[in-house]
Amino acid sequence: YDLHIRMPEPLVPAERRVEVAERTDASGAILQAVAGPDVVHAGRRLLDLGCDSLAVGFLNSFVNAGNERAAAEALRAAFPGVPVC
């Protein structure tokens, strides 16, 4: 165990990571569906910061990607021409 370990810089700085309300549990059940307007607001914030593409990543989406897909669809509809993954 190294108390002096130097961690690498994150690939995406904290100010370019935005949270939206959604919840998928470990079994894949969607406990809170993602809201399209919240996602669009988050996307606008990131684009205003100078981002030229958007990525969506939610916990437990490997079990059920429904919320991720809904968020990506909302972003693509709101910002045509902006790459979304």
Side-chain angles (χ1 to χ4, degrees):
Y1 188 78
D2 186 355
L3 294 175
H4 304 289
I5 190 169
R6 294 183 70 103
M7 300 301 290
E9 289 293 318
L11 293 175
V12 178
E15 64 272 7
R16 292 187 177 206
R17 288 179 263 156
V18 181
E19 293 182 18
V20 295
E22 71 82 35
R23 182 69 63 208
T24 302
D25 71 13
S27 69
I30 294 179
L31 304 178
Q32 181 176 357
V34 69
D38 292 346
V39 172
V40 171
H41 177 73
R44 170 56 49 210
R45 186 171 149 203
L46 292 170
L47 293 173
D48 288 346
L49 286 172
C51 296
D52 55 12
S53 63
L54 302 169
V56 178
F58 296 145
L59 293 177
N60 297 322
S61 63
F62 65 94
V63 181
N64 179 353
N67 273 341
E68 270 192 354
R69 286 189 191 111
E73 288 173 17
L75 291 170
R76 287 185 185 109
F79 310 112
V82 173
V84 176
C85 70

